[in-house]
Every structure is written in C-alpha cells, then in structure tokens.
Amino acid sequence: MAEFSTLEYANLNSVVYGALCDALMQGRFQPGDRLKIRDLAEQFGTSVTPIRDAILRLANDEAVTFRSPRDIRIAGLSEERYREIRAIRVRLEGLAAETAAQLATTADIQALEQILRENEAAIAAGDRLKGTQLNQAFHFMLPQIAGLPVLTSILRRLWLQMGPHISGAYIAGGRAMIDHHYPVVEALKRHDPAAASMAIVDDILLGGKPILDCIERDAGREARRA
C-alpha cells in the first residue's frame, strides 16, 4: 500500500486527488489493491471528506472501482481495454515524441539521459517502484519538452489506468521496459521527428508486451475461476 505525508494545504480536495493520481501513474498501487478511506485520511492527516471526494473523482476517471463504501479497489484492465488505451497512446505519445524532437535542447536530452541512468540502476536493484516512477517521468517529459500541456492532461487520465499495470509487469519485463527509450533519446539528439515517433511507438508496442502478457494471464485465471 502506498504511503502519504500529512497535508497542510488549504485546498485539500485537489491536493489529495493530485497525490492519489500521482501514486496511480507511478505504480504505487497494484491492480486489485483495496483503498480504505479512513486509513488514507489518517495518512494524509485529513477528514474522510476530501479522501472520499478524491476517490469518487478517480472512479469517474475509471481508475478505481467503487463497489461499495467498504470495497473500493484499483481497477483492473481487460485485454480489449488495454489494447484501446495502447492504440490511443501510440497516436498521442507519437505526436509528443515527434514534436519534442523538433524542440529538444541539450538540457532536455541530458535530463532524459539522467532518467535512463537512474532507471538502469532501479532495474539492476529490482526496485519496481522506482523503475515505474522513472518510466512515467520519461514518458511525460516528451510532451513537456514539446510544450503540449493539453496533451499531457489527456495522457494523465490514460496513465491513471495504466500505471498500476505497468508497475505490476515492471520487474518481469526487465530490460524490455527501457530498451526502447534509448532510440527515442538518439532521435531527439538528431532532431529526427519521424524516428522519435517510431521509437516511442516501438516502446509502447514492444516494450509493453510484458504488460499485455500479465493482463492476459490474469484474465485466464479469472476465466478458470468462473
């Protein structure tokens, strides 16, 4: 279960929602994890109201399943839904990479290379959480470099659903989770939009295969129980 720091901000609803969104995108929860409103309120140092409101927003984002006030869980993904999200990510993140290749500065490229170095260390150490956080940071740097804030907002909602599944597959995926990031960086260095777009698409399709494998395996287990 993810842990959170006590909050001292005035707008607690937005802060709690933002913190839970970050936790989902960064893989601090796993599919099927149960969210307990009172436990989260205690961790954040708030009443239950902002927690409940944030969870209702996440249910609207389809990131959590609200079965009852006592049974709130991180949403799973069917194979069909995963493939739909993946197809959307291919188009949107391809655009982000393509635009970033035209605008990337030396500092931008150095920041991406630093993320890759840290992710190499996380994979070597078997640190699933750190690796997932760095993976998300790499992907979201591309629309940031591209100067596409609207695209970033759209991607955030998709990654609310994807983050827990990326995290669940991260260690099993091993080098497949970052190998395709290197061609992205090389394309940005060359200011080659087509190559950058192709590289991020390869990462989503080929690097994401361990995620799809996990979803298919989970679906098979559910089918056998039925």
Side-chain angles (χ1 to χ4, degrees):
M1 176 64 72
E3 296 183 1
F4 302 93
S5 301
T6 300
L7 300 175
E8 298 178 356
Y9 299 90
N11 192 356
L12 289 178
N13 285 28
S14 294
V15 173
V16 169
Y17 174 72
L20 289 173
C21 284
D22 287 344
L24 282 160
M25 290 188 295
Q26 295 169 3
R28 294 169 64 189
F29 292 108
Q30 297 283 285
D33 279 355
R34 185 177 172 190
L35 300 181
K36 299 180 180 179
I37 292 176
R38 292 195 178 278
D39 287 353
L40 288 170
E42 183 177 339
Q43 287 189 52
F44 279 113
T46 71
S47 69
V48 299
T49 301
I51 305 296
R52 185 168 53 243
D53 289 348
I55 286 175
L56 288 172
R57 289 178 68 181
L58 290 171
N60 186 59
D61 292 330
E62 301 180 272
V64 303
T65 302
F66 199 106
R67 299 176 182 176
S68 76
R70 294 183 178 276
D71 191 359
I72 304 163
R73 297 181 185 273
I74 303 301
L77 278 181
S78 66
E79 181 181 343
E80 293 75 18
R81 189 173 186 84
Y82 171 79
R83 289 183 182 275
E84 180 182 356
I85 291 173
R86 186 179 68 176
I88 296 168
R89 285 184 60 206
V90 161
R91 296 296 184 90
L92 296 184
E93 295 191 39
L95 172 62
E98 178 182 316
T99 309
Q102 300 172 53
L103 300 172
T105 65
T106 299
D108 293 330
I109 291 166
Q110 288 174 343
L112 288 170
E113 289 177 328
Q114 179 62 31
I115 290 172
L116 280 176
R117 284 192 292 271
E118 292 180 14
N119 212 338
E120 288 281 5
I123 287 177
D127 190 337
R128 172 189 59 81
L129 181 57
K130 185 68 172 176
T132 306
Q133 291 172 343
L134 291 163
N135 179 70
Q136 189 255 347
F138 184 95
H139 280 265
F140 274 62
M141 261 206 75
L142 297 176
Q144 179 183 328
I145 293 168
L148 299 172
V150 174
L151 178 55
T152 300
S153 297
I154 296 170
L155 287 174
R156 282 180 65 85
R157 181 164 183 179
L158 298 178
W159 274 71
L160 288 178
Q161 299 174 59
M162 286 298 305
H165 295 272
I166 294 172
S167 177
Y170 210 80
I171 297 303
R175 295 213 51 82
M177 307 305 284
I178 63 167
D179 275 348
H180 296 285
H181 289 183
Y182 288 94
V184 176
V185 174
E186 292 305 313
L188 263 61
K189 288 179 179 178
R190 300 192 306 272
H191 298 289
D192 186 336
S197 178
M198 186 179 300
I200 202 67
V201 168
D202 283 346
D203 178 54
I204 295 168
L205 296 179
L206 303 178
K209 188 176 184 302
I211 306 165
L212 181 57
D213 290 344
C214 285
I215 290 172
E216 290 174 337
R217 192 161 52 246
D218 290 345
R221 282 198 290 264
E222 289 296 322
R224 287 192 292 274
R225 292 194 193 103

